[in-house]
């Protein structure tokens, strides 16, 4: 893909969140509505297009852990808050950085979907509990790509916390067909793009019943590219 080719030509081995989600979107994976901006005029236009409340994130291919670096502001409700958050984030980043203006996705359930390229088996798709629990609980399952729908549905049942996908505490049951489609497509990205070494989509938030990719990171292998 052109986005990956450009990154590799620039000597980069990671895509920014914005670039990563452009790849996901090109494969039909649902992502947050967002606009990349680098000045206050762009911020104002993006806010008008998306609508409050907003999330603002520092965006650069060199930034993998935005939360730890204090580059995320959530639940921004008006123009003054947005401008203040924009100035703070830009002030913490170097030249060439930008801010991702993003819709705020409300949902209490967070999952992780990913891909890793195994030396023996090739692209392997991962599914599990997301958000802060990903590294704590390590409740994940794997399948080797390509996936059939049956494989994707089995993956979701394999995790210990699979009941999170059911109707619980007034929340709708997750759309398992949509989740299966995302898992299949993530495998497809790995199969069709040899340069993709890893994909980390975390969190995938369930909004109502539908999953939305809220953050994403792609790691490239320059040798393959």
């Amino acid at each position: 893909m052109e986005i990956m080719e450009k990154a590799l030509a620039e000597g980069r081995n990671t895509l920014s969140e914005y670039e990563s989600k452009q790849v996901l979107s090109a494969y039909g994976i649902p992502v947050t509505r967002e606009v990349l901006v680098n000045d206050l005029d762009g911020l104002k236009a993006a806010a008008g297009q998306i609508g409050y409340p907003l999330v603002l994130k520092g965006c650069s291919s060199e930034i993998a852990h935005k939360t730890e670096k204090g580059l995320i502001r959530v639940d921004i409700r008006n123009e003054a808050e947005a401008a203040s958050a924009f100035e703070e984030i830009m002030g913490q980043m170097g030249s060439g950085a930008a801010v991702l203006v993003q819709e705020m996705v409300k949902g209490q359930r967070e999952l992780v979907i990913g891909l890793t390229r195994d030396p023996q088996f090739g692209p392997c798709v991962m599914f599990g509990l997301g958000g802060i629990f990903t590294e704590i609980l390590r409740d994940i399952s794997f399948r080797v790509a390509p996936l059939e729908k049956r494989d994707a549905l089995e993956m979701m049942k394999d995790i210990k916390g699979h009941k999170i996908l059911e109707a619980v505490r007034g929340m709708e049951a997750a759309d398992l067909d949509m989740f299966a489609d995302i898992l299949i497509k993530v495998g497809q990205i790995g199969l069709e793009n040899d340069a993709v070494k890893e994909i980390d989509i975390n969190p995938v938030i369930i909004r109502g019943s539908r999953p939305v990719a809220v953050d994403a990171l792609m790691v490239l292998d320059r040798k393959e590219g």
Side-chain angles (χ1 to χ4, degrees), residues 5-25:
E5 289 166 9
K6 180 175 181 287
L8 291 164
E10 292 170 358
R12 296 195 276 128
N13 63 356
T14 56
L15 299 182
S16 70
E17 176 182 346
Y18 182 65
E19 291 170 325
S20 299
K21 280 151 114 182
Q22 283 184 306
V23 174
L24 298 181
S25 184

Side-chain angles (χ1 to χ4, degrees), residues 71-143:
L71 297 175
I72 299 179
R73 302 289 185 277
V74 301
D75 201 20
I76 292 165
R77 297 189 166 268
N78 56 54
E79 192 174 327
E81 286 182 15
S84 174
F86 176 84
E87 298 286 10
E88 284 175 15
I89 292 169
M90 288 295 277
Q92 290 177 256
M93 297 194 297
S95 60
V99 169
L100 197 53
V101 182
Q102 197 175 89
E103 66 173 320
M104 188 162 157
V105 177
K106 294 186 173 71
Q108 294 173 269
R109 294 171 288 177
E110 300 187 352
L111 287 303
V112 60
I113 292 174
L115 179 132
T116 184
R117 191 174 292 278
D118 183 86
Q120 184 177 351
F121 298 108
C124 297
V125 181
M126 182 261 285
F127 176 83
L129 293 184
I132 61 169
F133 298 113
T134 307
E135 291 173 15
I136 298 169
L137 299 178
R138 301 298 294 167
D139 188 6
I140 53 178
S141 62
F142 284 93
R143 289 292 187 283

Side-chain angles (χ1 to χ4, degrees), residues 32-66:
T32 43
R33 290 184 301 121
E34 58 193 34
V35 179
L36 193 64
V37 304
N38 52 24
D39 58 34
L40 287 170
D41 287 340
L43 172 67
K44 188 173 181 180
Q49 180 182 329
I50 297 169
Y52 295 100
L54 293 171
V55 174
L56 264 59
K57 298 179 179 177
C59 189
S60 163
S61 61
E62 295 169 13
I63 301 168
H65 300 288
K66 294 179 285 291

Side-chain angles (χ1 to χ4, degrees), residues 4 15 20-21 23-24 27 29 112-117 123-127 142 182-193 195-202 204 213 215-220:
M4 297 179 202
L15 299 182
S20 299
K21 280 151 114 182
V23 174
L24 298 181
Y27 275 82
I29 294 171
V112 60
I113 292 174
L115 179 132
T116 184
R117 191 174 292 278
C124 297
V125 181
M126 182 261 285
F127 176 83
F142 284 93
I182 294 170
L183 290 166
I184 291 165
K185 284 172 174 172
V186 167
Q188 193 181 342
I189 294 171
L191 289 168
E192 293 179 3
N193 301 277
V196 174
K197 186 179 178 184
E198 293 173 28
I199 301 173
D200 184 27
I201 312 171
N202 187 17
V204 177
D215 201 342
L217 173 71
M218 287 198 189
V219 179
L220 308 178

Side-chain angles (χ1 to χ4, degrees), residues 150-167:
R150 176 184 67 249
D151 304 318
L153 293 171
E154 281 176 2
M155 281 181 80
M156 290 183 263
K157 287 180 186 168
D158 280 354
I159 64 167
K160 297 185 192 75
H162 63 88
K163 287 188 181 296
I164 198 173
L165 299 169
E166 298 174 5

